[in-house]
Every structure is written in structure tokens, then in C-alpha cells.
Amino acid sequence: MKAFKRAESNGFMIPDLTLDCAYFENTKCKILDGKKLSNNFVQQSQTLINGRKIPCLAVILIGNDPASKVYVNNKIKIFKEAGFLSKSYILNEDEYSEQKIINLIESLNNDENINGILVQLPLPKKFNSTNILNSILPSKDVDGFLAHNMGSLATGEFNSAVACTPFGVMVLLHAYGIQLSGKNAVVIGRSNIVGKPMGLLLLSDDATVTFAHSKTKNLKEICQSAEIIIAAAGQPEMITSDYVSNSAIVVDVGIHRKIDGKLCGDVHPSVKEKASALTPVPGGVGPMTIAMLLLNTALSAWDLSNKK
Ligand code: NDP
């Protein structure tokens, strides 16, 4: 995978899980196990850290969004498990102006002990997230959201951080030996943090990519002709089995909390009766997103070509 070359040259590898895979109960549908693969990256990080600078992530959480608090705590927990450092800045939205947050980010940009800066999204409405994110130094943008890093992905240079969620999806597909070259892939969603970088990554590995979005006509027919479907529309269980051809590979990026408190994705459970492989929710793309945050922070600390 082209996007993984920088990680490879710093000692990371994608394990081969092809012979080590489980199936959803009573189906022939493989579970693409993001939790297992994420644990593998935590172990690799623990090993690779030996004799190197300990990477440190600064996490900024503004406001009281309960889901954001859970995401931030999960990230901090994984960093600790890997032997990495993290520093949290939990900010009260009433006490912080946009400029005060930008000042904090600038001081973290100048701090040699900080390798990555993450601003947890979404921000409270009163803030302009573009202004805030754009104040992060590109070499410390371990989320891979900034135009500089998106540009490196779009041009195929891959010399800086790749957006964590789509990067995690690619690593997962590769670990399970899923060939992308020449495959018809549909990406449902075109956001800057998931859909667009996802499509570019698939394209860089020679898939034939269709982007679908809320104005797309005949989405069902488009999906039926796809060999790979990436569901990132943010619509609970919208991809039902009639969208999916027999033996398609389906990646569920969505994450939603249902009224009963359980989590679900953008893909309906019935899809596993038809698909040949599917990512579970939870335990699929979510843990891979955090694993790639770990990886991007390690590369920011260790990869000398990043120090521009
Ligand atoms: P956005 O809301 O930013 O984007 C959603 C995209 O889906 C848009 O491009 C939108 O189209 C498109 N869309 C919405 N409804 C439909 C529809 N009915 N048919 C086709 N396309 C549609 O979401 P994100 O990209 O940030 O996230 C997508 C999902 O992934 C969410 O559920 C989010 O929670 C989850 N997520 C999960 C992560 C993880 O770690 N597991 C990380 C990040 C996100 P248009 O552009 O026309 O509006």
C-alpha cells in the first residue's frame, strides 16, 4: 500500500491476518477485526519505541460533549498502553475565545516535546473549526486534516500524516489480503475527514472509485455494482442487504448510539448474509482510527523527513 511506505520505513508493518480470521455467526462473511489489528499496532509501538524519543500527543477538548469525552479518553488510554505520552487540555468553552485557543495551539506548535496536536471535533458552534485547525503546524497535524497533508495524499507523495479513519480502513483491508487493484469501489460520503481521503487512498492503490453523496441518484444500483462499499454517510443502518451484491466487501465507518443504548453503524445487520467481508460496529473502523493516530504521532516524532 503506497500510503504505508513511510510507516514501513520507520519499522511498522501490516500483519497478515488472512489465515487468522473469524466469521459472523452462521454466515460465510468474514469479520474484519479492527480491534485485533489495533492491538497489534499498540504492540508494535511498544517495541519500536525502544531507544527512540517517546512520542507525545496534545489533546484539546473544548466543551462538554459526552461522546467527545469518551473518544478522547479512549485515545489517551491507547497511548498509555503503547507507552506513548499524552497531555490533555480540557477547556471550558465560556472561558476560551477562538484567539485564546489559537494561542494555546501556537505554544504547542513551538514545544519540542509535543509531536502531535489533536483538536477533538465537533467544536461548540461559537468556534470556527477551520480557523482553529489551520493554526496547527502541518507536521503536528496527526489527524491529517490540514490542506498541506490532504495535498500530500492527493498528489500521492504520502510524506506526511494521512487522515486516520480512511488510513485505518486501508490498513485493515490490506491485513486481510483484500486486493484493491482494478476493483470497483463506492465510497458513500465525501467529507474532508472520511469520504474524500478514503476515495483518494483507494485510487492510489488502483481501485476504480465512485464517490456517492446526498445528491447521488440511484445509490442502490451504484452499490449493487460495487465490489467494495465504504459506508460513511452518517445514516444509521441505511445500507441494507438489497444494496449489496453477493460477496461484496463492506466497510462500515458509521457509528451511532441507538435508543436502547447499543451502538450501530451505517450498515444494516442483514448485510452479513450477503457480503463476503464486513467490519463490525463496534470493533471495526473505530479502533483502527485510534491505531492510526498512534502511528501518525510516532511518525511525527521519529520520521526525519517530516521535519520541514
Ligand atoms: P459528514 O456528516 O461530514 O458527511 C456525511 C457524508 O455522507 C456527506 O458527504 C453526505 O453528503 C453523505 N450523505 C449523507 N446522507 C446520505 C445519503 N442518504 N446518501 C448518500 N450520501 C449521504 O460525516 P463524516 O464523514 O464526518 O462521518 C461519517 C460517519 O462516520 C458518521 O457516522 C461518523 O460518526 C462516522 N465516523 C466514524 C469514525 C470512526 O472512527 N469510526 C471517525 C469519523 C467519522 P453531502 O456531502 O451531499 O452532504
Side-chain angles (χ1 to χ4, degrees):
M1 190 216 312
K2 295 193 180 85
F4 201 76
K5 292 240 157 66
R6 190 169 150 252
E8 233 163 43
S9 63
N10 282 276
F12 286 97
M13 52 164 285
I14 301 178
D16 182 354
L17 299 180
T18 44
L19 297 174
D20 184 22
C21 70
Y23 291 80
F24 285 97
E25 206 178 11
N26 301 327
T27 69
K28 292 181 178 164
C29 181
K30 275 182 200 165
I31 299 171
L32 303 178
D33 190 341
K35 184 82 188 114
K36 183 191 281 180
L37 186 53
S38 162
N39 288 340
N40 179 288
F41 275 96
V42 171
Q43 284 161 15
Q44 290 191 53
S45 305
Q46 287 166 348
T47 311
L48 290 170
I49 208 170
N50 267 332
R52 286 164 139 167
K53 176 179 180 175
I54 299 179
C56 181
L57 175 72
V59 184
I60 302 176
L61 173 64
I62 310 156
N64 283 317
D65 181 46
S68 293
K69 281 186 187 167
V70 173
Y71 293 143
V72 162
N73 287 338
N74 286 343
K75 287 168 188 170
I76 291 170
K77 184 170 158 270
I78 298 286
F79 269 66
K80 207 170 172 186
E81 276 173 34
F84 288 16
L85 298 170
S86 63
K87 272 188 165 182
S88 320
Y89 298 84
I90 315 290
L91 311 183
N92 181 328
E93 63 174 292
D94 298 326
E95 289 171 13
Y96 272 78
S97 63
E98 199 166 292
Q99 190 54 50
K100 211 169 157 189
I101 295 166
I102 291 173
N103 293 346
L104 168 65
I105 291 174
E106 282 171 354
S107 73
L108 295 169
N109 284 339
N110 294 324
D111 185 341
E112 277 183 7
N113 295 316
I114 300 290
N115 306 108
I117 303 170
L118 179 145
V119 177
Q120 184 64 44
L121 299 177
L123 294 180
K125 286 208 170 66
K126 72 172 200 182
F127 298 112
N128 179 325
S129 45
T130 308
N131 289 346
I132 291 178
L133 293 178
N134 280 342
S135 66
I136 300 173
L137 204 62
S139 62
K140 296 193 180 188
D141 166 39
V142 284
D143 261 333
F145 291 165
L146 294 191
H148 174 97
N149 294 331
M150 279 285 277
S152 159
L153 164 58
T155 55
E157 287 171 55
F158 297 117
N159 54 9
S160 55
V162 177
C164 298
T165 299
F167 195 17
V169 170
M170 291 296 283
V171 172
L172 193 55
L173 295 174
H174 278 264
Y176 282 93
I178 292 164
Q179 299 299 319
L180 299 174
S181 181
K183 293 268 166 68
N184 285 327
V186 173
V187 180
I188 310 168
R190 56 173 167 180
S191 71
N192 287 334
I193 64 171
V194 184
K196 272 186 211 154
M198 186 73 251
L200 289 169
L201 282 165
L202 290 163
L203 187 64
S204 73
D205 274 3
D206 303 322
T208 303
V209 181
T210 303
F211 284 98
H213 46 78
S214 66
K215 309 289 186 298
T216 297
K217 290 178 186 156
N218 308 322
L219 180 63
K220 194 184 281 187
E221 286 75 12
I222 292 170
C223 289
Q224 283 166 348
S225 67
E227 294 161 285
I228 299 172
I229 298 174
I230 313 283
Q235 305 291 336
E237 299 185 347
M238 79 170 263
I239 303 301
T240 44
S241 61
D242 50 339
Y243 280 66
V244 177
S245 68
N246 278 325
S247 73
I249 290 145
V250 181
V251 173
D252 191 352
V253 179
I255 179 133
H256 314 278
R257 191 159 302 272
K258 296 200 280 193
I259 304 166
D260 63 8
K262 291 193 178 139
L263 292 176
C264 73
D266 282 8
V267 174
H268 191 271
S270 61
V271 165
K272 59 177 172 285
E273 313 293 334
K274 251 172 140 180
S276 63
L278 172 65
T279 59
V281 177
V285 176
M288 286 310 298
T289 299
I290 305 185
M292 293 304 103
L293 180 67
L294 199 65
L295 180 79
N296 283 344
T297 310
L299 295 181
S300 172
W302 301 338
D303 187 28
L304 295 178
S305 66
N306 193 44
K307 298 285 172 262
K308 299 179 209 160

